[in-house]
Amino acid sequence: MYDARVIICDDEVEIVRYLNKILTTRGLEVEIFTSGEALLRTLEHRALEESDLLLLDVKMPDVDGIEILRRVKELKLEIPVVMMTAFASISSAIEAMKLGAYDYVTKPFPKEKIFGILDKVLERKELLKENSALKDELGKSAPSGYLVYTSDAFRRVHEMAVQVAQSDANVVILGESGTGKELIAGLIHSVSPRKEQRFLSINCATLSDTLLESQLFGHVRGAFTGAVTHQKGLLEEAHNGTLFLDEVGDMSPAIQAKLLRVLQEGDYIPVGETKARSVDIRFLAATNKDLEEEVRQKRFREDLFFRLNVISIHLPPLRERAEDIEPLARYFLHRISQRMKKEFVNFTPEALLLMQSYSWPGNIRELENAIERAAILARGTVISAENLPVWKSAPLAAAAEQRGDGERLLPLEAVEREHILHVLQKTGCNKSRTAKILNIARRTLDRKLEEYGMQDKAAPADADDP
């Protein structure tokens, strides 16, 4: 059974009946036109991209099928057209093919002929769809995300990235998933001498060997089944620019060997060709694997490792830069507010404390997803701890990462915020009593409450205030 749509345009009742029967019995949706004029009117008012095939008669009493084919091409409608005729001639077939007809069949024809054509058309459609999706993913420009941090750990990463960008050395970016490796790659490219050229990226872990090789090196028509056209590879597209190889540690030994030649010789051979092509590319690679261990285990080529790893940059996980959690959360909330067209003004102190104390195994990516979920679930303009997905999986009292001695390891600021909140709650939110217990001036408490966004936690007016 097929899941496709076919348009038939023919003035012969018998051929229309025949085609309609054989196509509908296979589950195909069919639309019928018995005149060229009717089809042309439809072409002018409705695109046919939602259809998968147009079966078009060459000879019709009102409008010639060749003229309709010409009009389809003028309108740039992406639909394969198969010309049908009972009066085959070499000249009409040549003209139809020159105009871009997909195929040309002579009546009467067996149903196997039409289904054979349909199989090829649908296979081509899937290949084009897959290729388009890959191009969208692979051919994207340098990531434009804003690097948000206050920690010294990430400041050192940023400074090193800017420094190494000025050279043409290959760089390996190491770090757990979700730590922002592609953003650092984008930063290196955007401040490098190659910044006016293209930045292309590919995820080596998501593609099969055959597809990865084709996307990297390109292929010529007929190089393998489904290679219906010549396709440029990312190596050719990234000439004079930067190519980012994400999850390079998942690349197979066969692809590693071919990539090594590019780094050593500066040339490559497209799939199906015999002549090498020269390229000038700066390679950036990223992985969450220990490449040195992969080399020791013979899963990653040592010579390729040394070619790529001229300079390495290690991105710390989010749990090791806890002071960046709050500014990152506020940045994501601002972005999500703009996207949702809903203004969020703050996080509750409990929400900030929970985010500070959670270990974030998925790093920045997990934090962004958590903020987006919280924004969707929040009823007001303030994000509470209950809105965060980590609330149910890790209660506030146990949310912090546990070490061997069970001690909660938190930034000093988070500890101070939590303690002030605890004392406020114990005093019934009386600021004067809270300041006295904390042994700080009332003005200092007011400043800290404002700094931590906790003004709403204190009573409007303390009963014992003078």
Side-chain angles (χ1 to χ4, degrees), residues 10 19 23 45 59 118 122 139 142 156 181 222 229 255 259 312 358 371 398 428 457 464:
D10 199 316
L19 287 171
L23 294 173
H45 297 95
K59 296 292 184 182
L118 186 60
L122 295 178
R156 289 190 290 271
K181 296 188 288 294
T229 59
I255 305 297
L259 181 62
S312 62
Y358 181 60
I371 301 300
K457 295 297 177 183
D464 58 349

Side-chain angles (χ1 to χ4, degrees), residues 186-320:
L187 170 65
I188 292 172
H189 173 78
S190 65
V191 297
S192 76
R194 296 176 183 258
K195 62 185 178 183
E196 300 302 325
Q197 304 300 321
R198 298 190 70 184
F199 174 96
L200 299 178
S201 67
I202 185 169
N203 190 316
C204 303
T206 60
L207 303 176
S208 65
D209 270 10
T210 301
L211 200 49
L212 179 58
E213 181 180 13
S214 173
Q215 293 299 327
L216 277 174
F217 299 92
H219 63 253
V220 297
R221 182 176 180 178
F224 51 85
T225 302
V228 294
T229 59
H230 168 76
Q231 177 178 298
K232 290 182 179 181
L234 291 182
L235 293 174
E236 183 176 352
E237 297 276 9
H239 181 53
N240 291 325
T242 303
L243 181 57
F244 175 56
L245 303 171
D246 199 7
E247 302 302 347
V248 71
D250 292 283
M251 189 178 285
S252 72
I255 305 297
Q256 289 178 36
K258 294 188 176 185
L259 181 62
L260 178 63
R261 170 179 174 145
V262 183
L263 274 76
Q264 286 179 333
E265 310 297 334
D267 62 34
Y268 71 99
I269 302 175
V271 180
E273 268 196 14
T274 56
K275 185 178 179 181
R277 301 182 183 182
S278 297
V279 285
D280 176 16
I281 298 173
R282 198 233 185 119
F283 287 93
L284 305 177
T287 181
N288 58 13
K289 292 186 174 182
D290 182 343
L291 279 188
E292 292 185 355
E293 179 61 26
E294 293 296 299
V295 169
R296 283 192 290 270
Q297 297 297 327
K298 307 297 183 184
R299 290 190 292 262
F300 198 85
R301 292 182 65 109
E302 185 177 38
D303 43 8
L304 178 59
F305 171 72
F306 288 125
R307 287 282 179 178
L308 286 173
N309 194 42
V310 178
I311 297 172
S312 62
I313 299 176
H314 186 273
L315 271 62
L318 192 54
R319 62 183 175 274
E320 293 179 9

Side-chain angles (χ1 to χ4, degrees), residues 348-363:
T348 65
E350 294 91 344
L352 288 171
L353 179 60
L354 179 62
M355 288 188 290
Q356 289 274 9
S357 58
Y358 181 60
S359 62
W360 299 109
N363 293 293

